[in-house]
Amino acid sequence: MSDPLTAAAPTASSSEPHARRARTPAPQSGFAPWKDPAKAPIVRFENVVKRFGDFVAVKDCTLDIYEREFFALLGPSGCGKTTLLRMLAGFEKPTSGRILVAGEDITNLQPYDRPVNMMFQSYALFPHMTVEQNIGFGLKQEGMPKDQIAVRVEEAMTMLELNRFGKRKPHQLSGGQQQRVALARAIAKKPRIVLLDEPLGALDKRLRQQAQFELMYIQETTGTTFIIVTHDQEEAMTVSSRIAVMDHGEFVQVATPGDIYEAPNSRYVANFIGDVNLFEGKILSQAGGFVEIEWGGGRARFKAVAPAGVSPGQLVWLSLRPEKIRITLDQPADGNNAVEGKVVDIGYLGSISQYHVELSNGEMVKALRANSASTVERPISWEDRVWLEWPADAGVVLTR
Ligand code: ATP
C-alpha cells in the first residue's frame, strides 16, 4: 500500500519528449488561516442547497475556504462535488443559500463577472486555435490590448513550460501537454480563485503524479486559491491544505489531510481515506482518558483513547490503520490490545509487506511489516499463527 502521507515525489515522465523537472513546492509551514478567528474566508458557502427536481444534490452546505488554500472536495461519484463547484463558478444557481467571495454575495452574478476561473476535466480547448490563442482567449474576450495579452500568454506558457508548443493545435499535443494548456488558460486571467474539476482525470498514473506536484507548484507560485474536485483520495491527500469529504450532498468531515487520516470522525471517512481495520465493540468502562472496549462478544478487550461523549454499553468501532499494528509470531507479554489469527495472504510491496490475517471470528485484519534484512524473527509466512498488537493510542474510537 502506498501511504498517501509519504507518497514519493514523482520523477519526470519518460513519455514527455524532453523530460521536465518535477518541481516540488516549498511547504507552507504554519499555514492554517482556518484556525485564525481574525481571518475572513475568500469563499463562503452559506446554507447552500441545490435541488434538481425532487432530488437534493447539495444539502444545506456551509463551508469557509481561505485565500491561498488548495482545497479539495472529495467523495464518491454523485455526492455533489461538481455541483458545488459549478455553483461557485456560476454555471448553476443554488436553490437556496448564498455564496460569498471576499465578503461579497456573488450568488446572482454571471460567471464572467466572478473572480473565478474553471478548468474542466475535458480541458475544453478550442481545437481550431493554437496553444497561444487558447491561453489568450479569455483575455481577448475581456478586451485586453494585444501586447498585454502576449505578455500574459508568455508568462503562463513559461510557468507551465509550454513555450515550445505555442504554435501547435491541441490535437498535436499529448494528454499531459493539453492539461497544462488548460491550466495555463485558467491562470492567464489571474483570477483570485481557480476551480479544477477532476483536472488530472485523463492522465495515466505516472503523469498524474507529476501533474499533481506541478499543480502545487503553480498554486504556490501564483498565490492563487485553488479548489479541486476529485474522487481520488491519494490526490486530495497529496495536493491539498484541507479536504472536505462529502457523502450524498453533505460534508462529513472538513480537515487537513493529516487529521482526516489520523483522526477520521466516522467509519465513512476512515474507510474512504487509505486502508483501515474496524473492530466493532461495546464500551465496558471509562477511566483516566481511556475506554475499555469489549470486542467479538468477549473474545478480547481493547484499551483506547476515550472519545468525547461515550458511555458504557455504547456500540463503537475501533479504527486502526494497518501500519499501526505490530505483527509477531510470539504472543506479546502484555496481553492488552492483542488478538491472535492466521496469515491467509501476503502482499509484497517492496520495503514493506501487507499481511491479511483471519481472526478466530472470521474477521480479516490488515497489518504492515517492514521487510528489514536485520530482523531477528524468522519471516512470517502463509498459514502462520500470528499475534497482532498495538498501543492504546494507536487507534481512534468512532461512534458512527
Ligand atoms: P462525479 O464524481 O461523478 O462527477 P459528483 O460528486 O461531482 O460526481 P455531481 O455532478 O455534483 O456529482 O452530481 C450530484 C448529483 O446530482 C448526481 O446524482 C447527479 O446525477 C445529480 N445531477 C447533477 N446535475 C444534474 C442535472 N443538471 N439534473 C439532474 N440531476 C443532476
Side-chain angles (χ1 to χ4, degrees):
M1 187 191 76
S2 84
D3 182 343
L5 294 179
T6 56
T11 53
S13 165
S14 58
S15 64
E16 294 282 278
H18 303 278
R20 294 173 307 113
R21 245 175 333 125
R23 299 171 295 189
T24 312
Q28 300 186 57
S29 63
F31 176 75
W34 51 89
K35 287 186 182 164
D36 182 352
K39 279 258 167 16
I42 186 163
V43 175
R44 168 165 285 176
F45 289 96
E46 210 174 81
N47 303 109
V48 171
V49 174
K50 179 64 186 175
R51 292 176 200 276
F52 293 108
D54 289 344
F55 180 73
V56 188
V58 171
K59 294 175 193 161
D60 196 13
C61 280
T62 294
L63 173 70
D64 285 344
I65 297 172
Y66 293 83
E67 191 143 34
R68 303 180 79 99
E69 272 209 81
F70 199 140
F71 195 94
L73 296 167
L74 175 70
S77 184
C79 71
K81 311 179 292 288
T82 300
T83 304
L84 263 178
L85 209 65
R86 287 174 60 81
M87 286 193 284
L88 179 53
F91 302 129
E92 297 284 358
K93 226 174 130 33
T95 310
S96 61
R98 299 197 305 163
I99 300 175
L100 294 95
V101 170
E104 187 198 349
D105 186 347
I106 61 151
T107 320
N108 295 311
L109 288 188
Q110 293 299 322
Y112 46 80
D113 286 332
R114 300 180 180 213
V116 304
N117 220 345
M118 186 141 163
M119 175 182 159
F120 296 94
Q121 180 172 9
S122 59
Y123 308 149
L125 297 176
F126 301 111
H128 59 288
M129 289 187 193
T130 64
V131 165
E132 286 173 352
Q133 288 164 340
N134 263 288
I135 298 172
F137 179 77
L139 302 170
K140 197 172 166 192
Q141 292 288 99
E142 271 183 356
M144 184 182 272
K146 256 187 169 173
D147 53 337
Q148 286 178 30
I149 294 180
V151 172
R152 286 278 193 95
V153 169
E154 185 68 24
E155 257 174 35
M157 288 205 301
T158 302
M159 187 166 283
L160 284 139
E161 297 183 28
L162 285 165
N163 308 69
R164 289 177 297 119
F165 308 116
K167 302 286 181 236
R168 289 201 200 170
K169 300 264 176 71
H171 75 272
Q172 296 168 312
L173 300 174
S174 72
Q177 289 158 353
Q178 289 181 33
Q179 178 262 332
R180 277 158 39 215
V181 176
L183 184 59
R185 189 175 59 181
I187 63 168
K189 278 176 81 175
K190 301 200 173 169
R192 293 189 74 177
I193 306 159
V194 171
L195 309 180
L196 306 149
D197 186 6
E198 298 274 4
L200 314 179
L203 306 182
D204 67 41
K205 192 171 171 153
R206 200 179 145 87
L207 213 49
R208 194 178 170 120
Q209 284 182 336
Q210 180 177 328
Q212 287 167 3
F213 280 85
E214 205 150 71
L215 279 182
M216 291 158 75
Y217 176 81
I218 303 292
Q219 190 264 339
E220 294 253 351
T221 314
T222 57
T224 314
T225 306
F226 274 25
I227 306 177
I228 187 173
V229 156
T230 180
H231 62 266
D232 179 337
Q233 48 104 355
E234 267 190 50
E235 183 159 292
M237 299 290 278
T238 304
V239 301
S240 59
S241 54
R242 284 190 305 156
I243 300 173
V245 182
M246 294 186 70
D247 183 28
H248 290 95
E250 287 178 294
F251 298 128
V252 187
Q253 187 167 12
V254 180
T256 62
D259 283 348
I260 293 260
Y261 188 79
E262 297 291 343
N265 68 359
S266 57
R267 285 176 291 158
Y268 177 82
V269 173
N271 267 317
F272 199 77
I273 309 284
D275 252 340
V276 76
N277 299 295
L278 290 169
F279 293 96
E280 184 176 310
K282 247 188 347 202
I283 300 276
L284 281 179
S285 60
Q286 180 171 0
F290 291 93
V291 285
E292 198 175 26
I293 300 167
E294 182 189 65
W295 166 77
R299 280 186 161 84
R301 289 179 177 197
F302 304 146
K303 190 178 171 188
V305 175
V310 286
S311 46
Q314 189 172 338
L315 182 66
V316 291
W317 293 266
L318 177 64
S319 148
L320 265 177
R321 299 288 180 192
E323 69 273 17
K324 301 278 170 77
I325 298 178
R326 201 165 91 85
I327 176 168
T328 58
L329 290 164
D330 301 320
Q331 182 168 7
D334 176 5
N336 273 336
N337 293 350
V339 285
E340 194 186 9
K342 186 175 76 175
V343 176
V344 293
D345 202 4
I346 304 173
Y348 177 71
L349 304 168
S351 58
I352 50 171
S353 287
Q354 185 178 64
Y355 295 84
H356 290 207
V357 177
E358 187 175 358
L359 306 184
S360 57
N361 65 349
E363 275 180 39
M364 298 293 278
V365 176
K366 288 181 192 167
L368 292 178
R369 191 192 207 210
N371 292 323
S372 158
S374 62
T375 182
V376 286
E377 269 193 0
R378 78 163 169 82
I380 293 172
S381 192
W382 279 265
E383 301 290 318
D384 271 344
R385 296 223 58 91
V386 290
W387 285 87
L388 305 170
E389 62 158 340
W390 58 90
D393 61 358
V396 180
V397 179
L398 303 173
T399 55
R400 59 179 173 134

